[in-house]
Amino acid sequence: MAGFLLAISFVGLLNLLPLRKALVIDYKLTYPSGTATAVLINGFHTPQGEKNAKMQVRGFVRSFVISLLWSFFQWFYTGGQSCGFLQFPTFGLKAWKQTFFFDFSLTYVGAGMICSHLVNLSTLFGAVLSWGIMWPLISKQKGIWYPANVPESSMTSLFGYKSFMCVALIMGDGLYHFIKLTGITAKSLHAQSNRKHVKRAANEDTVSFDDLQRNEVFTTFDDSKLASVCRICLIKHHCYNCHTDNVPYGKIALFIFAAWGGKDDGVIAGLVGCAIVKQLVQVSADLMHDYKTGHLTLTSPRSLLVGQAIGTVMGCIIAPSTFLLFYKAFDIGNPDGYWKAPYALIYRNMAILGVEGFSALPKRCLELSAACFAFSVLVNLLRDFSTQKYRKYVPLPMAMAVPFLVGANFAVDMCVGSLVVFSWHKMKRKEATLLVPAVASGFICGDGIWMFPSSLLSLAKVNPPICMKFTPGS
């Protein structure tokens, strides 16, 4: 696994290296994440920035310790199936059965604090639509639309509807943005080709001294400018849509390889092809965003490349090791467990769909999935053509799709994070603006760090001493 990751990751690192100067200096592409990171770094190197950085570090450390201790405390009450605060029936047992409860996960609360209110409310809307309305209605058709004697995890049961309707929402959103970004790219390239060539010497008078200094540092070593138009299109997609657009590329590769592989090897071929494309695009995008940061912070591009290479090697070793540790310690991929691994199920189901076609769908699932696909496209159209005043109220289909498989508790946690941020901004706006990202990161890191000792305890057969469970009263 590590060798596979190393191979495709380093191809991704070197893929767009020849276009470094052309894209960052000549085309002046924005790279929002890279620019935001550069502004943050430059802000640290001021008297006020140094003071703010110290406050953020203190906020991070405090929230990290709180999250770590809270996770450790919760562990004592998870000594059995469906035990602990993770299964606390916040809104009653009936709501709990439909996964509507707050599970005290500071990871998701922290994620909700970082994400926008629109993302969090979109997940809640998706949870209400799926677990509150659609799944209860479809479950009443058990024995009519799908067999009554198959396990819940079977693709021919209710789980099949959950999976493929979730996939339809994601595919509709991904396809829409792929077509949209392709159009933007074509328009941009056409404008570039029609632009008259202007000599560099004529432009130097209009370039600021800071930009000249940045360009000089950024071009400290030469590289080839020759690259195909496909590469330009690829990186243009990255600069317009940050890191999210590797999703449609991966899906396209998945369906192509799955259909090409046939029934015997199509699922594996589709998943491998999807992983290769997603990793290539993601690593290339990360490097170009880092180059944009380096250009704005007067950082040597050679240092950035070396740092990215070192980080890539570490990631290719640490990530598989962590996965194997978790895979042995926990029940990964169980639809009814805590570690659902929803995207693993989503991409596997897409590969199955690519191999078997619509015959893999349960009864009425095709019509419902088509409705979800159309809904996703229409919502995106509504969002793009609405005025700024109403656009912020249009939900995001990609965010709506996640609770379809994960459950409504994920959306509840995210909305709790939004509520914390909203309340904090109402009481102390300046402090909230400064500390929310740091505190949220501390919550996520503390809860995440606890997973390692928790997995080691599980491997050592050390079980929690208490099972806190809730059942109906007599």
Side-chain angles (χ1 to χ4, degrees), residues 309-325:
I310 294 173
T312 299
V313 172
M314 293 175 62
C316 291
I317 296 172
I318 294 173
S321 303
T322 305
F323 170 76
L324 292 175
L325 176 64

Side-chain angles (χ1 to χ4, degrees), residues 99-423:
T99 71
F100 281 96
F101 59 91
F102 177 57
D103 64 6
F104 295 90
S105 171
L106 292 185
T107 294
Y108 291 148
V109 172
M113 292 174 67
I114 293 174
C115 293
S116 67
H117 297 315
L118 178 60
V119 170
N120 298 331
L121 292 175
S122 295
T123 61
L124 183 61
F125 178 61
V128 172
L129 187 65
S130 56
W131 292 91
I133 300 174
M134 290 194 298
W135 304 160
L137 290 176
I138 295 176
S139 63
K140 292 181 179 179
Q141 304 300 320
K142 187 175 184 178
I144 302 174
W145 284 8
Y146 60 94
N149 56 351
V150 295
E152 289 293 328
S153 59
S154 172
M155 293 302 298
T156 58
S157 68
L158 179 61
F159 184 72
Y161 293 90
K162 296 177 183 179
S163 300
F164 288 113
M165 291 171 72
C166 174
V167 168
L169 272 179
I170 295 175
M171 285 178 59
D173 185 76
L175 182 62
Y176 176 85
H177 282 98
F178 179 78
I179 295 173
K180 174 184 172 182
L181 293 172
T182 301
I184 293 174
T185 300
K187 183 178 179 181
S188 178
L189 289 175
H190 180 70
Q192 290 286 352
S193 64
N194 290 336
R195 185 177 300 169
K196 293 182 179 180
H197 178 70
V198 180
K199 293 183 179 180
R200 183 180 300 274
N203 280 336
E204 287 185 351
D205 293 336
T206 62
V207 178
S208 67
F209 176 76
D210 289 342
D211 286 338
L212 288 175
Q213 190 176 13
R214 291 190 185 104
N215 295 346
E216 183 180 356
V217 172
F218 196 70
T219 55
T220 51
F221 67 98
D222 293 328
D223 49 27
S224 173
K225 296 181 183 178
L226 298 177
S228 64
V229 174
C230 292
R231 279 181 170 178
I232 296 177
C233 293
L234 189 63
I235 198 59
K236 285 254 184 182
H237 280 317
H238 288 309
C239 79
Y240 282 118
N241 205 32
C242 215
H243 298 295
T244 59
D245 57 304
N246 61 347
V247 176
Y249 285 119
K251 289 173 189 167
I252 292 171
L254 186 149
F255 283 113
I256 291 174
F257 282 98
W260 178 47
K263 290 188 176 181
D264 294 331
D265 305 309
V267 174
I268 295 176
L271 292 174
V272 171
C274 176
I276 291 174
V277 172
K278 282 173 65 67
Q279 188 69 5
L280 284 173
V281 175
Q282 186 68 63
V283 172
S284 299
D286 286 340
L287 181 61
M288 295 309 298
H289 279 271
D290 289 344
Y291 272 144
K292 183 66 176 182
T293 302
H295 177 251
L296 296 175
T297 56
L298 297 177
T299 304
S300 167
R302 184 182 286 108
S303 300
L304 286 171
L305 180 61
V306 171
Q308 188 87 356
I310 294 173
T312 299
V313 172
M314 293 175 62
C316 291
I317 296 172
I318 294 173
S321 303
T322 305
F323 170 76
L324 292 175
L325 176 64
F326 275 57
Y327 192 76
K328 291 180 179 179
F330 304 112
D331 188 14
I332 304 294
N334 181 5
D336 299 321
Y338 180 71
W339 303 95
K340 295 181 176 66
Y343 278 99
L345 299 172
I346 288 171
Y347 280 96
R348 180 179 178 273
N349 293 334
M350 284 195 291
I352 293 173
L353 185 62
V355 172
E356 299 183 8
F358 296 134
S359 61
L361 302 177
K363 187 178 180 181
R364 302 294 183 188
C365 187
L366 176 60
E367 292 88 340
L368 293 172
S369 299
C372 288
F373 184 93
F375 173 81
S376 181
V377 174
L378 290 174
V379 166
N380 277 300
L381 286 171
L382 179 63
R383 180 175 177 79
D384 283 343
F385 288 98
S386 297
T387 60
Q388 190 66 33
K389 180 180 179 181
Y390 298 105
R391 187 176 301 171
K392 59 184 179 181
Y393 300 111
V394 180
L396 303 173
M398 185 71 75
M400 287 177 56
V402 177
F404 275 48
L405 277 180
V406 176
N409 58 304
F410 163 79
V412 173
D413 294 346
M414 297 280 283
C415 287
V416 169
S418 261
L419 182 61
V420 171
V421 173
F422 179 79
S423 303

Side-chain angles (χ1 to χ4, degrees), residues 25-74:
I25 296 178
D26 297 339
Y27 284 96
K28 293 182 174 61
L29 299 182
T30 55
Y31 296 103
S33 294
T35 302
T37 304
V39 171
L40 182 64
I41 292 173
N42 289 333
F44 286 155
H45 297 281
T46 62
Q48 184 62 34
E50 185 178 355
K51 180 182 177 182
N52 291 342
K54 290 180 179 178
M55 291 178 61
Q56 288 176 326
V57 170
R58 285 196 296 268
F60 172 83
V61 171
R62 289 172 184 170
S63 60
F64 174 85
V65 172
I66 291 172
S67 179
L68 183 62
L69 293 177
W70 173 244
S71 299
F72 177 57
F73 174 76
Q74 287 187 87

Side-chain angles (χ1 to χ4, degrees), residues 405-466:
L405 277 180
V406 176
N409 58 304
F410 163 79
V412 173
D413 294 346
M414 297 280 283
C415 287
V416 169
S418 261
L419 182 61
V420 171
V421 173
F422 179 79
S423 303
W424 199 348
H425 272 278
K426 284 293 183 182
M427 293 185 292
K428 297 180 180 179
R429 177 174 293 274
K430 289 185 178 180
E431 182 183 280
T433 303
L434 180 65
L435 294 181
V436 160
V439 171
S441 300
F443 283 155
I444 295 171
C445 291
D447 197 19
I449 289 295
W450 168 248
M451 290 298 105
F452 287 98
S454 175
S455 60
L456 294 176
L457 289 171
S458 178
L459 290 174
K461 306 299 182 183
V462 178
N463 297 317
I466 304 170

